[in-house]
Amino acid sequence: MGQLIAVDRGDGTGCYYAVDTTTRQAVGEVIPSDVHRGHYRAGVYHPSRGVMFVKVSGSSESLVDLTQAGTENFTTVQEALAAISRNRPR
């Protein structure tokens, strides 16, 4: 697995695809938070469950099905990409 880069979706939403530099496949999305201006959500593509969101609870992370408190904690696109990288299926 390669590093992840952010590729603008190009639809005016401010969302980015998280693309693996080795496979050139999208493995998730970085989505602007609709709750906290300037924050992002990290969506991970899961092979059997669809898009799962990285939820931060204290010092741990988990994947959840729905956006909720704790899923909008990333203050930069790069932080969200790092969370996708840590939580994507291997």
Side-chain angles (χ1 to χ4, degrees), residues 10-22:
D11 58 4
T13 61
C15 296
Y16 297 86
Y17 292 115
V19 176
D20 184 302
T21 57
T22 300

Side-chain angles (χ1 to χ4, degrees), residues 4-90:
L4 299 184
I5 59 170
V7 176
D8 192 316
R9 283 193 344 195
D11 58 4
T13 61
C15 296
Y16 297 86
Y17 292 115
V19 176
D20 184 302
T21 57
T22 300
T23 65
R24 297 182 179 233
Q25 298 291 316
V27 297
E29 292 185 35
V30 177
I31 304 164
S33 172
D34 56 344
V35 178
H36 299 290
R37 187 179 182 97
H39 286 211
Y40 296 89
R41 289 188 165 98
V44 177
Y45 295 161
H46 190 278
S48 62
R49 297 173 68 187
V51 177
M52 304 287 294
F53 296 94
V54 179
K55 179 181 179 181
V56 178
S57 299
S59 62
S60 67
E61 295 177 339
S62 60
L63 293 177
V64 295
D65 293 337
L66 303 172
T67 58
Q68 55 189 270
T71 61
E72 68 285 328
N73 289 8
F74 306 104
T75 57
T76 66
V77 171
Q78 293 304 324
E79 283 182 9
L81 282 176
I84 292 168
S85 183
R86 287 189 300 272
N87 290 281
R88 67 180 173 160
R90 303 283 176 210

